[in-house]
């Protein structure tokens, strides 16, 4: 009975969103996107799209999303939004990070990406334009993937901080006490595999079109680069997402090597009390600000 009620609620919500969508003006980018998508299907094989297309989406998205944070270090005005102002970025650290990223991307992640085609074939995942889900379905699916990945990340990330394991794997990611955007995927190869598994679980659960693979890649990179940016910029649209952790939440984890283990949301840390030190820190900062204003 409860299952039927849940299904009815979801169907009603879907119909409501579909009804609202029918009144929205046509997206001017839809036709160019359709033309580009059909051109891709006509000129490339499924293997090429799934493999090299996925690699291009990941690499282009990753480094484009890193650009704002990289530029901020050269803009004096933006320094007031830097969380750890006493620890500026250095060329040496950024170059070291970049070299490790290239290794991880092409020797760890690329072999995994090569399995994308076989995944889509095994589960009969469509590539066609006509089968592509509507934008609001994609948004819901990406949110579902984020919830699943966040749960996986919380428990496995917390495990990697265990004193018997930490120095062998996760310590690499914590080389930078003051994180910057490009450092989001700077990690030991084993960590890339362990925590990266959470990314694929949502895909297995929700994927009904290859476009979800790419949409979820972009959403996940947008989130992880933001929380590692080292800047708490006002009017950040990601802060509109309910329970979104943000840069300050994760920056505290890098400063103290403890607590705030979740990747995207705050609920797991709140549930298990692993954000208690962060809450105490926030209260101290508020008191300091009140004293300064007086």
């Amino acid at each position: 009975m409860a299952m039927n009620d849940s299904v009815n609620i979801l169907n009603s919500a879907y119909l409501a969103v579909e009804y609202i969508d029918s009144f929205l003006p046509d997206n001017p980018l839809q036709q160019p996107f359709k033309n580009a998508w059909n051109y891709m299907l006509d000129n490339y094989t499924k293997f090429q799209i799934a493999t090299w297309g996925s690699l291009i989406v990941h690499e282009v998205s990753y480094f484009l999303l890193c650009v704002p944070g990289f530029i901020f270090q050269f803009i004096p005005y933006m320094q007031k939004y830097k969380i750890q102002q006493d620890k500026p970025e250095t060329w040496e650290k950024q170059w070291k990070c970049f070299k490790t990223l290239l290794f991880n991307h092409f020797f760890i992640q690329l072999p995994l990406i090569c399995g994308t085609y076989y995944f889509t074939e095994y589960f009969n995942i469509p590539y066609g334009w006509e089968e592509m889900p509507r934008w609001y379905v994609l948004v819901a699916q990406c949110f579902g993937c984020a919830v699943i990945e966040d749960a996986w990340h919380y428990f496995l990330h917390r495990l990697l901080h265990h004193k018997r394991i930490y120095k062998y794997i996760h310590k690499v990611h914590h080389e930078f006490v003051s994180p910057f955007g490009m450092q989001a995927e700077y990690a030991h190869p084993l960590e890339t595999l362990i925590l990266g598994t959470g990314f694929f679980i949502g895909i297995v659960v929700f994927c009904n079109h290859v476009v979800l693979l790419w949409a979820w890649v972009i959403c996940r990179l947008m989130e992880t680069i933001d929380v590692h940016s080292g800047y708490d910029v006002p009017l950040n649209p990601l802060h509109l997402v309910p329970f979104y952790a943000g840069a300050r939440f994760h920056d505290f984890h890098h400063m103290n090597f403890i607590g705030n283990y979740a990747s995207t949301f705050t609920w797991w840390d709140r549930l298990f009390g692993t954000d208690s030190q962060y809450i105490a820190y926030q209260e101290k900062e508020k008191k300091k600000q009140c004293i300064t204003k007086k």
Side-chain angles (χ1 to χ4, degrees):
M1 186 69 178
M3 180 64 73
N4 290 334
D5 290 341
S6 298
V7 172
N8 290 333
I9 291 171
L10 289 173
N11 286 336
S12 298
Y14 179 84
L15 291 172
V17 174
E18 197 172 43
Y19 179 74
I20 294 170
D21 182 60
S22 66
F23 289 98
L24 296 176
D26 292 336
N27 185 348
L29 298 177
Q30 183 171 344
Q31 191 59 44
F33 180 59
K34 179 180 179 180
N35 294 339
W37 190 270
N38 286 328
Y39 176 86
M40 177 184 71
L41 294 177
D42 292 339
N43 291 276
Y44 299 96
T45 66
K46 286 185 175 180
F47 178 82
Q48 290 173 323
I49 294 169
T51 305
W52 306 117
S54 297
L55 178 67
I56 290 170
V57 168
H58 180 272
E59 295 305 302
V60 171
S61 299
Y62 191 92
F63 289 106
L64 278 180
L65 290 166
C66 286
V67 168
F70 179 78
I71 294 175
F72 288 167
Q73 65 185 308
F74 304 111
I75 304 175
Y77 176 79
M78 295 303 298
Q79 296 314 300
K80 64 181 179 180
Y81 300 122
K82 183 167 174 57
I83 301 166
Q84 298 186 55
Q85 297 186 7
D86 59 331
K87 297 181 179 68
E89 296 90 345
T90 66
W91 286 109
E92 181 183 1
K93 290 180 179 179
Q94 290 175 99
W95 176 240
K96 181 182 180 181
C97 178
F98 181 72
K99 289 187 293 183
T100 302
L101 279 179
L102 291 182
F103 176 83
N104 284 349
H105 285 184
F106 290 97
F107 291 94
I108 306 298
Q109 295 183 16
L110 179 57
L112 296 175
I113 291 173
C114 288
T116 304
Y117 167 74
Y118 302 100
F119 167 79
T120 60
E121 287 294 292
Y122 184 81
F123 289 102
N124 294 317
I125 305 299
Y127 288 64
W129 175 264
E130 297 303 324
E131 297 91 347
M132 190 179 294
R134 299 298 300 270
W135 65 269
Y136 45 85
V137 176
L138 270 178
V139 169
Q141 289 173 325
C142 285
F143 184 78
C145 287
V147 171
I148 293 172
E149 191 282 333
D150 186 67
W152 177 271
H153 192 100
Y154 176 83
F155 292 104
L156 273 295
H157 182 196
R158 189 172 177 180
L159 178 63
L160 289 176
H161 271 270
H162 191 280
K163 60 183 180 181
R164 293 185 179 180
I165 303 174
Y166 175 78
K167 64 180 179 180
Y168 299 109
I169 302 175
H170 193 52
K171 186 178 179 180
V172 174
H173 184 68
H174 277 281
E175 282 184 31
F176 304 110
V177 178
S178 178
F180 47 90
M182 191 168 58
Q183 190 236 338
E185 290 187 343
Y186 179 86
H188 189 286
L190 279 177
E191 179 173 339
T192 300
L193 294 173
I194 293 168
L195 296 185
T197 300
F199 172 88
F200 295 102
I201 297 174
I203 292 297
V204 172
V205 174
F206 293 109
C207 194
N208 59 353
H209 195 281
V210 73
V211 75
L212 176 63
L213 291 166
W214 296 352
W216 172 223
V217 165
I218 294 170
C219 288
R220 177 67 179 119
L221 290 180
M222 191 182 304
E223 176 275 325
T224 191
I225 290 170
D226 176 60
V227 301
H228 285 91
S229 67
Y231 289 84
D232 186 18
V233 181
L235 302 179
N236 184 338
L238 288 175
H239 291 165
L240 297 174
V241 178
F243 302 101
Y244 181 67
R248 283 195 178 275
F249 189 83
H250 192 69
D251 209 278
F252 181 84
H253 175 78
H254 276 265
M255 279 192 287
N256 297 276
F257 307 99
I258 192 170
N260 295 11
Y261 297 111
S263 59
T264 307
F265 305 107
T266 57
W267 50 58
W268 288 111
D269 284 287
R270 288 184 180 180
L271 180 63
F272 290 101
T274 46
D275 64 347
S276 58
Q277 291 189 26
Y278 175 66
I279 293 171
Y281 171 78
Q282 283 184 310
E283 290 175 353
K284 287 181 181 179
E285 289 298 306
K286 287 179 181 178
K287 288 178 181 179
K288 285 181 182 179
Q289 291 176 2
C290 289
I291 294 170
T292 303
K293 289 179 180 178
K294 289 178 179 179

